[in-house]
Coordinates of all heavy atoms in Angstrom, one line a residue:
M190 N 11.8 17.5 -5.7 CA 11.5 16.9 -6.9 C 10.3 15.7 -6.7 O 10.6 15.1 -5.7 CB 12.7 16.2 -7.4 CG 12.6 16.1 -8.9 SD 13.9 16.2 -10.0 CE 14.7 14.7 -10.0
R191 N 9.5 15.7 -7.5 CA 8.5 14.6 -7.4 C 8.7 13.4 -8.3 O 9.1 13.6 -9.4 CB 7.1 15.2 -7.9 CG 6.3 16.0 -6.9 CD 5.1 16.6 -7.5 NE 4.1 15.6 -7.7 CZ 3.0 15.7 -7.0 NH1 2.7 16.7 -6.3 NH2 2.0 14.7 -7.1
P192 N 8.8 12.4 -7.7 CA 8.9 11.1 -8.5 C 7.7 10.9 -9.5 O 6.6 11.2 -9.0 CB 9.0 10.0 -7.5 CG 8.4 10.4 -6.3 CD 8.4 12.0 -6.3
I193 N 8.0 10.5 -10.7 CA 6.8 10.3 -11.6 C 6.6 8.8 -11.6 O 7.5 8.0 -11.9 CB 7.2 10.8 -12.9 CG1 7.4 12.4 -12.9 CG2 6.1 10.4 -14.0 CD1 8.0 12.9 -14.1
I194 N 5.4 8.4 -11.2 CA 5.1 7.1 -11.1 C 4.0 6.8 -12.2 O 3.0 7.4 -12.2 CB 4.7 6.6 -9.7 CG1 5.8 6.8 -8.8 CG2 4.2 5.2 -9.8 CD1 5.4 6.8 -7.4
K195 N 4.2 5.8 -13.0 CA 3.3 5.5 -14.0 C 2.5 4.2 -13.6 O 3.2 3.2 -13.2 CB 3.9 5.2 -15.3 CG 3.4 6.0 -16.4 CD 4.1 5.7 -17.8 CE 3.0 5.5 -18.8 NZ 3.0 6.4 -19.8
A196 N 1.3 4.2 -13.5 CA 0.6 3.0 -13.1 C -0.2 2.6 -14.3 O -0.7 3.4 -15.1 CB -0.4 3.2 -11.9
N197 N -0.5 1.3 -14.3 CA -1.4 0.8 -15.4 C -2.8 1.0 -14.9 O -3.2 0.2 -14.0 CB -1.1 -0.6 -15.8 CG 0.1 -0.8 -16.6 OD1 0.4 0.1 -17.5 ND2 0.9 -1.7 -16.3
L198 N -3.5 1.9 -15.2 CA -4.9 2.1 -14.8 C -5.9 1.6 -15.7 O -5.7 1.7 -16.9 CB -5.2 3.7 -14.5 CG -4.2 4.3 -13.5 CD1 -4.5 5.8 -13.4 CD2 -4.3 3.7 -12.2
P199 N -7.0 1.1 -15.3 CA -7.3 1.0 -13.8 C -6.5 0.0 -13.1 O -6.1 -1.0 -13.7 CB -8.8 0.5 -13.9 CG -9.0 -0.2 -15.3 CD -8.1 0.5 -16.2
A200 N -6.2 0.3 -11.9 CA -5.4 -0.5 -11.0 C -6.3 -0.9 -9.8 O -7.2 -0.2 -9.4 CB -4.1 0.1 -10.6
R201 N -5.9 -1.9 -9.1 CA -6.6 -2.3 -7.9 C -6.1 -1.6 -6.7 O -4.8 -1.6 -6.4 CB -6.3 -3.8 -7.7 CG -7.2 -4.5 -6.6 CD -8.6 -4.6 -6.9 NE -9.0 -5.4 -8.1 CZ -10.3 -5.6 -8.5 NH1 -11.2 -5.0 -7.9 NH2 -10.5 -6.3 -9.5
C202 N -6.9 -0.9 -6.0 CA -6.5 -0.1 -4.7 C -6.0 -1.2 -3.6 O -6.7 -2.1 -3.4 CB -7.7 0.6 -4.3 SG -7.4 1.5 -2.7
I203 N -4.9 -0.8 -3.0 CA -4.4 -1.8 -2.1 C -5.2 -1.7 -0.8 O -5.1 -2.6 0.1 CB -2.9 -1.5 -1.8 CG1 -2.7 0.0 -1.2 CG2 -2.0 -1.8 -3.0 CD1 -1.4 0.2 -0.6
D204 N -6.0 -0.7 -0.6 CA -6.6 -0.5 0.7 C -8.1 -1.0 0.6 O -8.6 -1.7 1.4 CB -6.6 1.0 1.1 CG -5.3 1.3 1.6 OD1 -4.7 0.6 2.4 OD2 -4.7 2.3 1.2
C205 N -8.9 -0.6 -0.4 CA -10.2 -1.0 -0.5 C -10.6 -2.1 -1.5 O -11.6 -2.7 -1.5 CB -11.2 0.2 -0.8 SG -11.0 0.8 -2.4
G206 N -9.6 -2.4 -2.3 CA -9.8 -3.5 -3.3 C -10.6 -3.1 -4.5 O -10.7 -4.0 -5.4
R207 N -11.0 -1.9 -4.6 CA -11.8 -1.5 -5.8 C -10.9 -0.9 -6.8 O -9.7 -0.6 -6.4 CB -12.9 -0.5 -5.4 CG -14.0 -1.1 -4.5 CD -15.2 -0.2 -4.4 NE -14.9 1.1 -3.7 CZ -15.2 1.3 -2.4 NH1 -15.8 0.3 -1.7 NH2 -14.8 2.4 -1.8
L208 N -11.4 -0.7 -8.0 CA -10.5 -0.2 -9.0 C -10.2 1.3 -8.9 O -11.1 2.0 -8.4 CB -11.1 -0.5 -10.4 CG -11.1 -2.0 -10.7 CD1 -11.8 -2.2 -12.1 CD2 -9.7 -2.5 -10.9
I209 N -9.1 1.7 -9.4 CA -8.7 3.1 -9.5 C -8.7 3.4 -11.0 O -8.0 2.8 -11.7 CB -7.3 3.4 -8.9 CG1 -7.3 3.0 -7.4 CG2 -7.0 4.9 -9.0 CD1 -5.9 3.0 -6.8
Y210 N -9.6 4.4 -11.4 CA -9.7 4.6 -12.8 C -8.9 5.9 -13.2 O -8.5 6.6 -12.3 CB -11.2 4.8 -13.1 CG -12.1 3.7 -13.1 CD1 -12.8 3.4 -11.9 CD2 -12.0 2.7 -14.0 CE1 -13.5 2.2 -11.7 CE2 -12.8 1.5 -13.9 CZ -13.5 1.3 -12.8 OH -14.3 0.2 -12.6
P211 N -8.6 5.9 -14.5 CA -7.6 7.1 -14.9 C -8.0 8.4 -14.5 O -7.2 9.4 -14.3 CB -7.6 6.8 -16.4 CG -7.9 5.4 -16.6 CD -8.9 5.0 -15.5
D212 N -9.4 8.6 -14.3 CA -9.8 10.0 -14.0 C -9.8 10.1 -12.5 O -10.3 11.2 -11.9 CB -11.2 10.3 -14.5 CG -12.2 9.3 -14.0 OD1 -11.9 8.2 -13.6 OD2 -13.4 9.7 -13.9
M213 N -9.3 9.2 -11.7 CA -9.3 9.4 -10.2 C -8.0 9.8 -9.7 O -7.0 9.5 -10.4 CB -9.7 8.0 -9.6 CG -11.1 7.6 -9.8 SD -11.4 5.9 -9.1 CE -13.0 6.2 -8.4
R214 N -7.9 10.3 -8.6 CA -6.6 10.7 -7.9 C -6.2 9.5 -7.1 O -7.0 8.8 -6.5 CB -6.8 11.8 -7.0 CG -6.9 13.2 -7.7 CD -7.0 14.4 -6.7 NE -5.9 14.3 -5.8 CZ -4.8 15.2 -5.9 NH1 -4.9 16.2 -6.8 NH2 -3.8 15.1 -5.1
W215 N -4.9 9.2 -7.2 CA -4.4 8.1 -6.4 C -3.0 8.5 -5.9 O -2.3 9.5 -6.3 CB -4.3 6.9 -7.2 CG -3.5 6.9 -8.4 CD1 -3.7 7.5 -9.6 CD2 -2.1 6.5 -8.5 NE1 -2.7 7.4 -10.5 CE2 -1.6 6.8 -9.8 CE3 -1.2 5.9 -7.6 CZ2 -0.4 6.5 -10.3 CZ3 0.0 5.6 -8.0 CH2 0.5 5.9 -9.3
Q216 N -2.5 7.7 -4.9 CA -1.2 8.0 -4.4 C -0.6 6.6 -4.1 O -1.3 5.6 -4.1 CB -1.3 8.8 -3.2 CG -2.0 8.3 -2.1 CD -2.3 9.3 -1.0 OE1 -3.1 10.2 -1.1 NE2 -1.6 9.1 0.1
V217 N 0.7 6.6 -3.8 CA 1.4 5.3 -3.4 C 1.2 5.2 -1.9 O 1.4 6.0 -1.1 CB 2.8 5.4 -3.8 CG1 3.5 4.1 -3.3 CG2 3.0 5.5 -5.3
G218 N 0.7 4.0 -1.5 CA 0.6 3.7 -0.1 C 1.3 2.4 0.3 O 1.7 1.6 -0.6
H219 N 1.4 2.2 1.6 CA 2.0 1.0 2.1 C 0.9 -0.1 2.2 O -0.1 0.2 2.8 CB 2.6 1.3 3.5 CG 3.8 2.1 3.4 ND1 3.7 3.5 3.6 CD2 5.1 1.8 3.3 CE1 4.9 4.0 3.5 NE2 5.8 3.0 3.3
I220 N 1.2 -1.3 1.6 CA 0.3 -2.4 1.9 C 0.2 -2.8 3.3 O -0.9 -2.9 3.8 CB 0.8 -3.6 0.9 CG1 0.7 -3.2 -0.6 CG2 -0.1 -4.8 1.2 CD1 1.3 -4.1 -1.5
V221 N 1.3 -2.9 4.0 CA 1.4 -3.2 5.4 C 1.7 -1.8 6.0 O 2.7 -1.3 5.6 CB 2.4 -4.2 5.8 CG1 2.5 -4.3 7.3 CG2 2.1 -5.6 5.2
S222 N 0.8 -1.2 6.8 CA 1.1 0.1 7.2 C 2.4 0.2 8.0 O 2.9 -0.7 8.5 CB -0.1 0.6 8.1 OG 0.0 -0.1 9.3
V223 N 2.9 1.5 8.1 CA 4.1 1.8 8.7 C 4.0 1.3 10.2 O 4.9 0.7 10.8 CB 4.6 3.2 8.6 CG1 5.7 3.5 9.5 CG2 4.9 3.5 7.1
A224 N 2.8 1.6 10.8 CA 2.7 1.3 12.2 C 2.7 -0.2 12.5 O 3.3 -0.7 13.4 CB 1.3 1.9 12.7
A225 N 1.9 -0.9 11.6 CA 2.0 -2.4 11.8 C 3.3 -3.0 11.5 O 3.7 -4.0 12.2 CB 0.9 -3.0 10.8
A226 N 4.0 -2.5 10.4 CA 5.3 -3.0 10.1 C 6.4 -2.8 11.2 O 7.2 -3.6 11.5 CB 5.9 -2.4 8.7
T227 N 6.3 -1.6 11.9 CA 7.1 -1.3 12.9 C 6.9 -2.3 14.1 O 7.9 -2.8 14.7 CB 6.9 0.2 13.5 OG1 7.0 1.0 12.3 CG2 7.8 0.5 14.6
R228 N 5.7 -2.6 14.4 CA 5.3 -3.5 15.4 C 5.9 -4.9 15.1 O 6.2 -5.7 15.9 CB 3.8 -3.6 15.7 CG 3.4 -2.6 16.8 CD 2.0 -2.9 17.2 NE 1.0 -2.9 16.0 CZ 0.5 -1.9 15.6 NH1 0.7 -0.7 16.0 NH2 -0.4 -2.0 14.5
A229 N 5.9 -5.2 13.8 CA 6.3 -6.6 13.4 C 7.8 -6.6 13.2 O 8.3 -7.7 12.8 CB 5.6 -6.9 12.0
G230 N 8.5 -5.5 13.5 CA 9.9 -5.5 13.5 C 10.6 -5.3 12.1 O 11.8 -5.6 11.9
W231 N 9.9 -4.7 11.2 CA 10.4 -4.5 9.8 C 11.4 -3.3 9.9 O 11.2 -2.4 10.6 CB 9.3 -4.1 8.8 CG 8.4 -5.3 8.5 CD1 8.1 -6.4 9.2 CD2 7.6 -5.3 7.3 NE1 7.2 -7.2 8.6 CE2 6.9 -6.5 7.4 CE3 7.4 -4.5 6.2 CZ2 6.0 -6.9 6.4 CZ3 6.6 -4.9 5.2 CH2 5.9 -6.1 5.3
T232 N 12.4 -3.4 9.0 CA 13.2 -2.2 8.8 C 12.5 -1.2 7.9 O 11.6 -1.6 7.2 CB 14.6 -2.6 8.2 OG1 14.3 -3.1 6.9 CG2 15.3 -3.7 9.0
V233 N 13.1 0.0 7.9 CA 12.4 1.0 6.9 C 12.6 0.6 5.5 O 11.6 0.7 4.7 CB 13.1 2.5 7.2 CG1 12.7 3.4 6.2 CG2 12.8 2.9 8.6
A234 N 13.7 0.0 5.2 CA 13.9 -0.6 3.8 C 12.9 -1.6 3.5 O 12.4 -1.5 2.4 CB 15.3 -1.1 3.7
Q235 N 12.6 -2.4 4.4 CA 11.5 -3.4 4.1 C 10.2 -2.8 3.9 O 9.4 -3.2 3.0 CB 11.4 -4.5 5.3 CG 12.6 -5.4 5.4 CD 12.4 -6.3 6.5 OE1 12.3 -5.9 7.7 NE2 12.6 -7.6 6.3
M236 N 9.8 -1.7 4.8 CA 8.6 -1.1 4.7 C 8.4 -0.4 3.3 O 7.3 -0.4 2.7 CB 8.5 0.0 5.8 CG 8.3 -0.4 7.1 SD 8.3 0.9 8.2 CE 8.9 0.1 9.7
N237 N 9.5 0.2 2.8 CA 9.4 1.0 1.6 C 9.8 0.2 0.4 O 10.1 0.8 -0.7 CB 10.3 2.2 1.7 CG 9.7 3.2 2.8 OD1 8.5 3.2 2.9 ND2 10.6 3.9 3.5
D238 N 10.0 -1.1 0.5 CA 10.3 -2.0 -0.6 C 9.1 -1.9 -1.6 O 8.0 -1.9 -1.1 CB 10.6 -3.4 -0.2 CG 11.1 -4.3 -1.2 OD1 12.3 -4.3 -1.3 OD2 10.3 -5.0 -1.9
P239 N 9.4 -1.9 -2.9 CA 8.3 -1.9 -3.9 C 7.3 -3.0 -3.6 O 6.1 -2.8 -4.0 CB 9.0 -2.0 -5.2 CG 10.4 -1.5 -4.9 CD 10.8 -1.9 -3.5
S240 N 7.7 -4.1 -3.1 CA 6.7 -5.1 -2.8 C 5.7 -4.8 -1.7 O 4.7 -5.4 -1.6 CB 7.4 -6.5 -2.5 OG 8.0 -6.3 -1.2
N241 N 6.0 -3.8 -1.0 CA 5.0 -3.3 0.0 C 4.3 -2.1 -0.3 O 3.6 -1.5 0.5 CB 5.8 -3.1 1.4 CG 4.7 -3.0 2.5 OD1 3.7 -3.6 2.6 ND2 5.0 -2.0 3.4
L242 N 4.5 -1.6 -1.6 CA 3.9 -0.3 -2.1 C 2.9 -0.6 -3.1 O 3.1 -1.6 -3.9 CB 5.0 0.6 -2.5 CG 6.0 1.0 -1.5 CD1 7.1 1.9 -2.2 CD2 5.4 1.7 -0.3
G243 N 1.8 0.1 -3.2 CA 0.9 0.0 -4.3 C 0.0 1.2 -4.3 O 0.0 2.0 -3.5
P244 N -0.8 1.3 -5.4 CA -1.7 2.5 -5.5 C -2.9 2.5 -4.6 O -3.5 1.3 -4.3 CB -2.2 2.3 -7.0 CG -2.1 0.8 -7.3 CD -1.0 0.3 -6.5
T245 N -3.3 3.6 -4.1 CA -4.5 3.7 -3.2 C -5.1 5.0 -3.6 O -4.5 5.9 -4.1 CB -3.9 3.7 -1.8 OG1 -5.1 3.8 -0.9 CG2 -3.0 4.9 -1.4
H246 N -6.5 5.0 -3.4 CA -7.3 6.2 -3.7 C -6.8 7.3 -2.9 O -6.6 7.3 -1.7 CB -8.8 5.9 -3.4 CG -9.4 5.0 -4.4 ND1 -9.7 3.6 -4.0 CD2 -9.8 5.1 -5.6 CE1 -10.3 3.0 -5.0 NE2 -10.3 3.8 -6.0
A247 N -6.6 8.5 -3.5 CA -6.2 9.7 -2.8 C -7.4 10.6 -2.6 O -8.5 10.3 -3.3 CB -5.2 10.4 -3.6
K248 N -7.4 11.5 -1.7 CA -8.5 12.4 -1.4 C -8.7 13.3 -2.6 O -7.8 13.9 -3.1 CB -8.2 13.2 -0.1 CG -9.3 13.9 0.4 CD -9.1 14.4 1.8 CE -10.1 15.4 2.3 NZ -11.5 14.9 2.2
A249 N -10.0 13.4 -3.0 CA -10.4 14.3 -4.0 C -11.8 14.5 -3.9 O -12.5 13.8 -3.2 CB -10.1 13.5 -5.4
P250 N -12.4 15.6 -4.6 CA -13.8 15.9 -4.4 C -14.6 14.6 -4.8 O -14.4 14.0 -5.8 CB -14.0 17.0 -5.4 CG -12.7 17.6 -5.5 CD -11.7 16.5 -5.4
G251 N -15.6 14.3 -3.9 CA -16.3 13.1 -4.2 C -15.7 11.8 -4.0 O -16.2 10.8 -4.5
Q252 N -14.5 11.8 -3.4 CA -13.8 10.5 -3.3 C -13.1 10.6 -2.0 O -12.4 11.6 -1.6 CB -12.7 10.5 -4.5 CG -12.0 9.2 -4.5 CD -10.9 9.4 -5.7 OE1 -11.3 9.8 -6.9 NE2 -9.7 9.0 -5.5
R253 N -13.0 9.4 -1.3 CA -12.4 9.4 0.0 C -11.0 8.9 -0.2 O -10.7 8.2 -1.2 CB -13.2 8.5 0.9 CG -13.1 7.0 0.4 CD -13.9 6.2 1.4 NE -13.6 4.8 1.0 CZ -13.7 3.8 1.7 NH1 -14.1 3.9 3.0 NH2 -13.4 2.6 1.3
A254 N -10.1 9.3 0.7 CA -8.7 8.8 0.7 C -8.7 7.5 1.5 O -8.9 7.5 2.7 CB -7.8 9.8 1.3
C255 N -8.5 6.5 0.7 CA -8.5 5.1 1.5 C -7.4 4.9 2.5 O -7.7 4.4 3.6 CB -8.3 4.0 0.4 SG -9.8 3.8 -0.6
N256 N -6.2 5.4 2.2 CA -5.2 5.1 3.2 C -5.2 5.9 4.5 O -4.4 5.9 5.3 CB -3.8 5.1 2.5 CG -3.3 6.5 2.2 OD1 -4.2 7.5 2.2 ND2 -2.1 6.7 2.1
Q257 N -6.2 6.9 4.5 CA -6.3 7.7 5.6 C -7.4 7.2 6.5 O -7.8 7.8 7.5 CB -6.6 9.2 5.2 CG -5.2 9.8 4.8 CD -5.5 11.1 4.0 OE1 -6.4 11.7 4.1 NE2 -4.5 11.4 3.1
I258 N -7.9 6.1 6.2 CA -8.9 5.4 7.0 C -8.3 4.2 7.7 O -8.1 3.2 7.1 CB -10.2 5.0 6.1 CG1 -10.7 6.2 5.3 CG2 -11.2 4.3 7.1 CD1 -11.5 5.8 4.1
A259 N -7.9 4.5 9.0 CA -7.2 3.5 9.7 C -8.1 2.5 10.3 O -7.7 1.3 10.5 CB -6.3 4.1 10.8
G260 N -9.2 2.8 10.8 CA -10.0 1.9 11.6 C -10.4 0.6 10.8 O -10.7 0.5 9.7
G261 N -10.3 -0.5 11.6 CA -10.6 -1.8 11.1 C -9.5 -2.4 10.2 O -9.6 -3.6 9.9
K262 N -8.6 -1.7 9.8 CA -7.5 -2.3 9.0 C -6.4 -2.9 9.9 O -5.6 -3.7 9.5 CB -6.8 -1.2 8.2 CG -7.5 -0.9 6.9 CD -6.6 -0.1 6.0 CE -5.4 -0.7 5.6 NZ -4.5 0.1 4.7
L263 N -6.3 -2.5 11.2 CA -5.1 -2.8 12.0 C -5.0 -4.3 12.1 O -3.9 -4.9 11.9 CB -5.4 -2.2 13.3 CG -4.1 -1.6 13.9 CD1 -3.4 -0.7 12.9 CD2 -4.4 -0.9 15.2
G264 N -6.1 -5.0 12.5 CA -5.9 -6.5 12.6 C -5.4 -7.1 11.5 O -4.5 -8.0 11.4
A265 N -6.0 -6.8 10.3 CA -5.6 -7.4 9.0 C -4.2 -7.0 8.7 O -3.4 -7.9 8.2 CB -6.5 -6.9 7.9
A266 N -3.8 -5.8 9.0 CA -2.4 -5.4 8.7 C -1.4 -6.1 9.5 O -0.4 -6.5 9.0 CB -2.3 -3.9 9.0
I267 N -1.7 -6.5 10.7 CA -0.8 -7.2 11.5 C -0.6 -8.6 11.0 O 0.5 -9.1 10.9 CB -1.3 -7.2 13.1 CG1 -1.1 -5.8 13.6 CG2 -0.5 -8.2 13.9 CD1 -1.9 -5.6 14.9
S268 N -1.7 -9.3 10.7 CA -1.5 -10.6 10.2 C -0.9 -10.6 8.8 O -0.1 -11.5 8.5 CB -2.9 -11.4 10.2 OG -3.9 -10.7 9.6
N269 N -1.2 -9.6 8.1 CA -0.5 -9.5 6.7 C 0.9 -9.3 6.9 O 1.8 -9.8 6.2 CB -1.0 -8.3 5.9 CG -2.5 -8.7 5.3 OD1 -2.9 -9.8 5.3 ND2 -3.2 -7.6 5.0
A270 N 1.4 -8.5 7.9 CA 2.8 -8.3 8.2 C 3.5 -9.5 8.6 O 4.6 -9.8 8.1 CB 2.9 -7.2 9.3
K271 N 2.8 -10.4 9.4 CA 3.4 -11.6 9.8 C 3.6 -12.5 8.6 O 4.6 -13.1 8.3 CB 2.5 -12.3 10.8 CG 2.7 -11.7 12.1 CD 1.8 -12.4 13.2 CE 1.9 -11.7 14.6 NZ 0.7 -12.0 15.4
R272 N 2.5 -12.5 7.7 CA 2.6 -13.4 6.5 C 3.7 -12.8 5.6 O 4.5 -13.7 5.1 CB 1.2 -13.4 5.8 CG 1.0 -14.5 4.8 CD -0.4 -14.8 4.3 NE -1.1 -13.5 4.2 CZ -2.2 -13.3 4.9 NH1 -2.7 -14.0 5.7 NH2 -2.9 -12.1 4.6
A273 N 3.8 -11.6 5.4 CA 4.8 -10.9 4.5 C 6.1 -11.2 5.0 O 7.1 -11.5 4.3 CB 4.4 -9.5 4.3
A274 N 6.3 -11.1 6.4 CA 7.6 -11.3 7.0 C 8.1 -12.7 6.7 O 9.3 -13.0 6.4 CB 7.5 -11.0 8.4
K275 N 7.1 -13.6 6.8 CA 7.5 -15.1 6.6 C 7.9 -15.2 5.2 O 8.8 -15.9 4.9 CB 6.2 -15.9 6.8 CG 6.5 -17.2 7.5 CD 5.2 -17.9 7.9 CE 5.4 -19.3 8.2 NZ 4.2 -20.0 8.7
A276 N 7.1 -14.5 4.2 CA 7.4 -14.7 2.8 C 8.8 -14.1 2.4 O 9.4 -14.4 1.4 CB 6.3 -14.1 2.0
R277 N 9.2 -13.2 3.3 CA 10.5 -12.4 3.0 C 11.7 -13.2 3.4 O 12.8 -12.9 3.1 CB 10.5 -11.1 3.7 CG 9.9 -10.0 3.0 CD 9.6 -8.9 3.9 NE 8.5 -8.1 3.5 CZ 8.6 -7.2 2.5 NH1 9.7 -6.9 2.1 NH2 7.4 -6.6 2.1
S278 N 11.5 -14.2 4.3 CA 12.8 -15.0 4.7 C 13.1 -16.0 3.7 O 12.2 -16.9 3.4 CB 12.5 -15.6 6.0 OG 11.3 -16.3 6.1
F279 N 14.2 -15.9 3.1 CA 14.7 -16.8 2.1 C 15.6 -17.8 2.6 O 16.5 -17.5 3.5 CB 15.3 -16.1 0.9 CG 14.4 -15.1 0.3 CD1 14.6 -13.7 0.6 CD2 13.4 -15.5 -0.6 CE1 13.7 -12.8 0.0 CE2 12.6 -14.5 -1.2 CZ 12.7 -13.2 -1.0
N280 N 15.6 -19.0 2.2 CA 16.7 -20.0 2.5 C 17.7 -20.1 1.4 O 17.3 -20.6 0.4 CB 16.1 -21.4 2.8 CG 15.2 -21.3 4.0 OD1 15.6 -20.7 5.1 ND2 14.0 -21.9 4.0
W281 N 18.8 -19.4 1.5 CA 19.8 -19.4 0.3 C 20.6 -20.7 0.4 O 21.0 -21.2 1.4 CB 20.6 -18.2 0.5 CG 19.9 -16.9 0.3 CD1 19.6 -16.0 1.2 CD2 19.3 -16.4 -0.9 NE1 18.8 -15.0 0.8 CE2 18.7 -15.2 -0.6 CE3 19.3 -16.9 -2.2 CZ2 18.0 -14.5 -1.5 CZ3 18.6 -16.1 -3.2 CH2 18.0 -15.0 -2.8
Ligands
LIG1521 ZN1 -9.4 2.6 -2.4

């Protein structure tokens, strides 16, 4: 079964920051990559939390798949993971 996700398009791509228009293909991606989140000690539940998911350009003719371009993202992902982990700790 495929989950049906409705996005308000145009939406901002979590990977390249450019807009995703209604005629473009997109998919749900991790804002902090699974690899970076694993290194930062996140649980699977934290990685797949809606707050870590967002729309990203999917592969299509004439369009690159943003989340399949890993190079250069790693450093930012690690610092984002640290920042996100900090934001996730609540003092109840
Ligand atoms: Zn993109």
Side-chain angles (χ1 to χ4, degrees):
M190 208 146 77
R191 274 175 81 114
I193 297 168
I194 297 162
K195 234 181 132 115
N197 285 321
L198 299 177
R201 186 73 60 182
C202 175
I203 60 168
D204 288 309
C205 72
R207 290 193 297 262
L208 290 174
I209 301 169
Y210 293 99
D212 62 335
M213 291 174 145
R214 284 181 60 104
W215 61 278
Q216 62 193 70
V217 175
H219 290 92
I220 295 169
V221 176
S222 73
V223 171
T227 301
R228 271 194 303 277
W231 290 24
T232 64
V233 172
Q235 284 176 310
M236 291 174 205
N237 293 329
D238 189 86
S240 66
N241 191 41
L242 302 175
T245 179
H246 291 106
K248 193 166 167 52
Q252 184 183 314
R253 62 178 190 159
C255 286
N256 72 340
Q257 284 162 24
I258 303 158
K262 272 191 68 181
L263 222 52
I267 290 165
S268 51
N269 287 342
K271 284 180 184 159
R272 197 165 39 240
K275 215 170 168 183
R277 272 165 211 278
S278 50
F279 302 101
N280 294 316
W281 296 106

